[in-house]
Structure formats: structure tokens, C-alpha cells
Amino acid sequence: MIRLRQLEAFRAVMITGGVTAAANMLNISQPAVSRLISSLEEGMGIPLFERRQGRLHPTYEANFLLGEVEQAIVNLEHITQLSDDIRNQKAGHLRIACLPGFATSLMPLVMAEFLRDRQDVTLTIQTRSSKRVREWIAAQQFDIGVADEFEGHSAVLHESVDIRTVCALSPQHPLASQKSISAADLSGMPMIVQDRSNRFFHQLKAAFDEAGAELVSRVEVRQFATACLLAKHGTGAAVVSSIDAAEYVGNGLITRPFEPQIPFRLDILCPKYHPRSLLLQDFIKHFRKRLEPYSLP
């Protein structure tokens, strides 16, 4: 078995022209260089140097071999560097699938921060409905998925995070001066709500019913971002994820705490039968950290 140190000693002698200079180059003793050369010749069964008058003279075979040895060492050095990068989460590729609204709110910031000190890391992001995200993750087409409405799948591991919700409205809204807004305050007022097939709509409706309040659905939407934009333009009030609302606060939209608090459940999905790389583990850790300001205890 040829060892890297043998090849390094061979190259050093070829480059410097002698054992002494090679030893200095490798920061080892002259006898150590001689032993490495001898063991390399013995292992290969090829004479690489002729020993004349105390000096080593390369054979034809040594000159012929030098180019391949150079390339082998370069490749090994590259592998060593790459392994260091992988170990330190500095290289690799991640495939991310997420909800369309999330891809235009917090996820771009998460990705940008994660890539900042990882020049050799690449990311792919694709957006679809929660159902499609779940299917992609189950089929191992993506490394991580961000969805809602996840009901479980035998090939998918998931972690749920409860995101704080707020009431979003324009500064001209009749309730804009209040410090917090309840379901009773919004009774009979036009609302922008998620479509009725969504679990969050039914949670909101239940809160209104419990307060004896009338929920007036003026516009039904699929994405919180759309609700924020409509609320900003005075179409009505909306109870939305604090992540989406943060994108529009200070730009024609204000938010107030909503009572009772209705958490929006965000699901982080990973393939069950595909090992998580160190890079993915680090990304998930970074992602969770970024969610903390918006998460409920």
C-alpha cells in the first residue's frame, strides 16, 4: 500500500534534487526521507533513484511517474480540504422545499445568513403547497421541507413550531388606536381570512364563536402575505403569522396583539430514511434560531 508520506518524500527529492533539501522541505530528518524513498521503491517494485557518490539520481521511471504523483497529491490535498469543509459545514448542497409565502418572507434571510460564511455551499429552493412539499420529502427529493397542515406520513420526520399571530390592519382602521385587539372588537367588521379549507380559518372561527362575535369574511386568501397587503390597503383586518406581518410593518401596515392567541403551526419536515448531513443539521439549527423571535414558548 502506497502512503501519502512516501509520495511527498518522492516529490520533494525530485523537486529539490537531494535528500537534505527534501528533508528541510518536509521538516523531517534525512534518514526519514531515505526510509520513505526505500519503502516506496520496495512497495512499487521499481527503482526510482540510482545512488551514485552519495547522491540520488532519478531513473527514467521516476521522471515518468512524477506527473502522476503530483496530481495524486493535489487530489489528496483537495480531498483533505473538502473533508475539513464538510466537517465544518463549509461545503455541500441542500435542497429546500417550502410554502410560497414563506419563500418570500423569512426563508430568504435564513438562506442569505447561512451562505454568508460558506462560499462552497449551494442551495436549491422550490415552492409548492404543503401537500406537494410533504410528497417531495417522502420521496427524498428534498432535504428539508417547510409546510403547514401536516397530518403525518410514515416516510417523513417532522417537528412543529407554534408561530405567534397578530392582527394586521391599516393605520386608518377604526381599531388602530387600541393596544390589543380581541375577537369581540372585530365582531361584524370586514376581515381577510385564510380559505375555509385551512385549519387556521376554523381556529379563528372558533375563537369568534366562543366570544359570541360575528366573523365577517370579506376576502378569503391562501397566503398570509396576501392578507397583509389587503389589510395595508384598508380592505379589512387580518389575523396573520407574525413572520409575514413583519415584512410589511412600517410600510403602511400596523400590527396589534390578538386575543385570544391562535398559534399558526409551522412544520419542519425531513426524509425519514435519508441520513441528515452535518450541513443539514447546521441549517436546521440556524433555521430554528431564526424562528425563535416569532415562536410561542
Side-chain angles (χ1 to χ4, degrees):
M1 180 68 69
I2 297 173
R3 293 179 288 116
L4 175 60
R5 202 57 170 163
Q6 292 173 322
L7 298 181
E8 289 176 333
F10 168 74
R11 182 181 64 169
V13 172
M14 293 292 288
I15 290 172
T16 63
V19 172
T20 302
N24 292 334
M25 179 179 174
L26 298 176
N27 197 28
I28 59 178
S29 68
Q30 296 179 41
V33 173
S34 297
R35 285 194 298 270
L36 288 168
I37 294 297
S38 296
S39 64
L40 178 61
E41 290 179 313
E42 182 179 349
M44 297 182 69
I46 301 172
L48 299 175
F49 297 94
E50 293 179 0
R51 284 127 177 110
R52 299 196 303 264
Q53 298 179 348
R55 294 183 60 84
L56 296 182
H57 298 272
T59 62
Y60 169 84
E61 288 76 16
N63 286 302
F64 185 78
L65 190 63
L66 180 60
E68 292 298 324
V69 170
E70 290 273 11
Q71 188 59 51
I73 291 174
V74 168
N75 289 340
L76 285 169
E77 289 174 347
H78 175 70
I79 290 171
T80 300
Q81 182 61 54
L82 185 59
S83 66
D84 287 342
D85 289 343
I86 292 172
R87 184 174 60 254
N88 296 310
Q89 296 87 54
K90 298 290 185 180
H93 181 72
L94 291 180
R95 301 160 298 171
I96 304 165
C98 74
L99 298 168
F102 207 78
T104 57
S105 56
L106 187 64
M107 186 57 79
L109 177 60
V110 172
M111 294 168 65
E113 289 177 341
F114 189 73
L115 290 173
R116 190 165 296 146
D117 297 322
R118 298 174 172 86
Q119 296 303 313
D120 293 322
V121 171
T122 56
L123 301 177
T124 296
I125 184 168
Q126 184 65 267
T127 60
R128 283 295 189 278
S129 67
S130 283
K131 179 181 178 182
R132 181 55 61 87
V133 169
R134 181 198 68 194
E135 291 170 350
W136 282 342
I137 294 297
Q140 301 185 19
Q141 293 178 286
F142 286 80
D143 301 301
I144 180 173
V146 180
D148 63 357
E149 302 284 307
F150 180 68
E151 299 297 341
H153 191 287
S154 60
V156 176
L157 296 173
H158 87 284
E159 173 188 350
S160 295
V161 181
D162 285 335
I163 302 299
R164 187 176 67 256
T165 55
V166 294
C167 185
L169 58 167
S170 73
Q172 292 75 40
H173 193 280
L175 300 178
S177 62
Q178 295 192 189
K179 291 185 177 180
S180 65
I181 296 174
S182 68
D185 294 329
L186 291 167
S187 181
M189 291 189 171
M191 296 280 295
I192 303 120
V193 299
Q194 284 206 309
D195 65 77
R196 294 170 189 266
S197 65
N198 193 285
R199 177 175 52 218
F200 188 78
F201 170 83
H202 295 285
Q203 291 176 302
L204 182 65
K205 181 66 166 61
F208 270 71
D209 290 344
E210 187 173 340
E214 179 189 6
L215 176 61
V216 177
S217 173
R218 188 171 188 190
V219 181
E220 291 186 20
V221 300
R222 179 64 185 90
Q223 298 177 22
F224 284 136
T226 307
C228 288
L229 288 169
L230 287 167
K232 168 184 171 180
H233 292 294
T235 305
V239 179
V240 300
S241 156
S242 56
I243 294 174
D244 292 270
E247 298 298 307
Y248 302 94
V249 170
N251 187 26
L253 186 78
I254 62 173
T255 62
R256 297 289 184 265
F258 179 74
E259 299 172 356
Q261 178 58 233
I262 305 173
F264 171 68
R265 195 186 79 184
L266 194 68
D267 298 301
I268 303 172
L269 314 180
C270 290
K272 184 175 182 178
Y273 302 108
H274 186 74
R276 296 189 188 186
S277 66
L278 294 174
L279 187 67
L280 176 59
Q281 293 175 43
D282 203 42
F283 181 84
I284 293 174
K285 180 180 178 181
H286 178 71
F287 182 38
R288 287 176 183 150
K289 189 72 176 176
R290 256 296 167 192
L291 288 176
E292 286 180 1
Y294 308 99
S295 305
L296 290 170

